[in-house]
Amino acid sequence: MSRKKIKSVIARNPDELGELLGLSKADTALMKYKAELSAIAIRAIRESELSVNELVKRSGVARSKVSAVKNGATVMVSCDLLIKIIAATGTRIQLRAT
C-alpha cells in the first residue's frame, strides 16, 4: 500500500484562504462577513448575560441555533439568524462597505 505525501499549504488571511479553496471574490467576502458576525454574536451573548431561553424569546431563533452560537459553533447558522441573535442582545452593529 503506497502512501501519498500530503502537501501543506498555509493561508495567511481570508483572501488567501478563499483563493486556495477556489472561491469567488463574492464567496470570499461572504465568508469574511459571516466570520465577523459570528465573533460579534458570541461576544454579544457573553456580554449581555442573557440566558439562552431569554435570547430565544427575544430573537425568535430556535434554541438549538442560539445554543450553538453561544458555544461558538456557528457553521450551520445563517447570517440572518446571527443578526437576529445580535439584535436580541441589545447590541447594535454598524455595517461598513470596504
Side-chain angles (χ1 to χ4, degrees):
M1 188 163 122
S2 67
R3 292 183 161 215
K4 292 184 179 183
K5 196 170 191 176
I6 298 173
K7 181 180 175 185
S8 294
V9 181
I10 297 173
R12 292 175 294 224
N13 58 53
D15 292 316
E16 285 184 7
L17 178 60
E19 188 176 325
L20 288 170
L21 294 173
L23 299 177
S24 68
K25 288 189 184 276
D27 286 339
T28 300
L30 181 59
M31 175 182 65
K32 292 191 303 189
Y33 174 66
K34 184 171 180 185
E36 286 184 42
L37 280 178
S38 296
I40 292 167
I42 293 165
R43 187 172 53 249
I45 290 170
R46 185 178 346 106
E47 290 175 0
S48 75
E49 298 182 357
L50 293 170
S51 69
V52 170
N53 287 336
E54 185 60 30
L55 287 168
V56 168
K57 286 179 197 171
R58 290 181 179 201
S59 67
V61 174
R63 188 178 203 298
S64 60
K65 298 289 185 185
V66 174
S67 289
V69 173
K70 182 177 182 179
N71 294 318
T74 60
V75 172
M76 299 301 289
V77 181
S78 64
C79 291
D80 62 323
L81 294 184
L82 289 170
I83 292 169
K84 286 181 179 183
I85 293 167
I86 292 166
T89 67
T91 301
R92 298 292 171 238
I93 56 175
Q94 194 171 37
L95 300 177
R96 67 187 182 288
T98 57

